[in-house]
Amino acid sequence: MIKWDQIKKAKWLITFLLTITFVYSAYVWLAPYNRFNTPDEVVNSFFSERLANGENLRAPAPLNKIAGETIVRPRWVHILGDDIVLAGFIGFSLILAFFGWIFSVSVLPFITPIFAILGLGALYLLGRDLINRRAGQLIVILASVTPAYWYYHSRSFFHNALFFDLILVGMWLWYQALKKQKIIWYLLTGLILGLAIAVRSSEIFWLATAFGVWSAYCYKQIIWRYLPWLILGLILGIAPVLVVNYLIYGQLFIVGYSVGITLPTAGGESVSKFISQ
């Protein structure tokens, strides 16, 4: 249970994080609405709004239908029949749309800045638990004013930032799982890491390697009979993306921005081909 004196000690940190949240959100407040500099932001904004409004991920392309051929092809989308569909990492748009559906479409630009604070909070807790409280505070201050961290979190529809925040939260949850050895921490770790993979599925190789190295280093602390709960969490986090992939492309596994890059079904040759892709 959190005690009042602990809250008073953390008061400056809470004030600092709220201030940083405002800074991260400043671009959303000051920039013209829907002003984007990259194709990723455009398509993520467009499709997350469609989903939050109850529409599907297949947007009509009437000019192509009139012309009888594909003459309109925006970047980072695919053309299926007479429809435009999202290319790339669908998980980001699904997560934003979930919050937009619960609250309203108007909250979509603020989801990434809010997750920035969750990421910084996880970073602070990791620093505090692994080193000490003062180290955790210093880590948060340095991370929050790092130009790259500030830049990507102020651009609401970049998926890179959300991916990084989910990894930080997943790291802290895994630390808690190893320390407290309860099923709920294993399940939550799997869920958050599953969501991170859903946001940027192409990162699964180095994530699996890093997680494996950490787990091998701390293998004595792992409760092996709880691992199925970790796997269940992973499945729950990734499942929505797999369902959408199947509904749109007729395939469960789509990686990156190309429909042609898919996870192998079986056989050494298909595995080596996938790795080369």
Side-chain angles (χ1 to χ4, degrees):
M1 186 174 179
I2 300 176
K3 297 180 180 179
W4 177 247
D5 61 328
Q6 293 176 323
I7 295 177
K8 287 198 295 185
K9 288 181 181 179
K11 216 183 332 187
W12 76 269
L13 184 61
I14 295 172
T15 303
F16 175 76
L17 290 177
L18 290 175
T19 304
I20 290 297
T21 306
F22 178 79
V23 172
Y24 287 151
S25 304
Y27 182 83
V28 181
W29 291 103
L30 300 175
Y33 183 66
N34 282 351
R35 177 66 60 84
F36 303 116
N37 291 329
T38 65
D40 291 59
E41 292 176 275
V42 174
V43 297
N44 287 332
S45 172
F46 177 74
F47 284 105
S48 61
E49 285 190 19
R50 282 184 63 85
L51 284 172
N53 286 323
E55 301 175 84
N56 60 41
L57 280 171
R58 296 180 72 111
L63 292 180
N64 290 334
K65 188 173 183 179
I66 294 172
E69 58 180 316
T70 303
I71 61 173
V72 178
R73 185 188 178 91
R75 289 187 65 188
W76 302 139
V77 301
H78 293 302
I79 306 297
L80 291 181
D82 297 321
D83 295 330
I84 297 174
V85 298
L86 175 62
F89 306 110
I90 298 174
F92 180 76
S93 294
L94 292 180
I95 291 174
L96 260 64
F98 174 76
F99 288 103
W101 178 71
I102 291 178
F103 300 104
S104 78
V105 174
S106 60
V107 307
L108 293 181
F110 301 98
I111 301 302
T112 298
I114 290 172
F115 266 91
I117 305 309
L118 295 178
L120 288 175
L123 199 57
Y124 165 74
L125 293 172
L126 272 172
R128 183 200 66 183
D129 294 343
L130 293 173
I131 310 173
N132 56 48
R133 185 170 60 88
R134 290 176 64 84
Q137 294 169 353
L138 181 59
I139 290 169
V140 167
I141 292 172
L142 293 176
S144 63
V145 297
T146 301
Y149 197 85
W150 182 90
Y151 174 76
Y152 281 103
H153 283 90
S154 67
R155 310 306 294 263
S156 300
F157 294 97
F158 269 139
H159 52 257
N160 307 53
L162 180 59
F163 168 77
F164 184 66
D165 297 327
L166 290 171
I167 292 300
L168 289 177
V169 174
M171 288 171 61
W172 179 72
L173 289 172
W174 184 229
Y175 177 81
Q176 295 300 307
L178 295 174
K179 181 180 177 181
K180 297 183 177 179
Q181 299 183 341
K182 292 185 178 180
I183 289 176
I184 186 63
W185 295 106
Y186 281 77
L187 179 63
L188 290 175
T189 299
L191 178 62
I192 296 301
L193 292 179
L195 290 174
I197 294 171
V199 170
R200 279 193 66 84
S201 51
S202 61
E203 314 299 337
I204 190 171
F205 294 108
W206 73 263
L207 280 179
T209 302
F211 187 81
V213 170
W214 187 356
S215 301
Y217 182 76
C218 305
Y219 75 96
K220 291 183 179 179
Q221 297 172 267
I222 297 175
I223 307 298
W224 296 99
R225 67 178 182 274
Y226 290 169
L227 283 184
W229 292 95
L230 178 74
I231 296 171
L232 175 62
L234 280 170
I235 294 172
L236 292 175
I238 300 172
V241 171
L242 302 183
V243 172
V244 171
N245 280 340
Y246 185 79
L247 292 176
I248 293 178
Y249 302 115
Q251 303 177 57
L252 288 177
F253 302 104
I254 300 292
V255 179
Y257 291 98
S258 173
V259 174
I261 301 180
T262 60
L263 291 180
T265 53
E269 183 179 347
S270 61
V271 172
S272 62
K273 182 180 179 182
F274 173 61
I275 293 174
S276 69
Q277 288 178 327

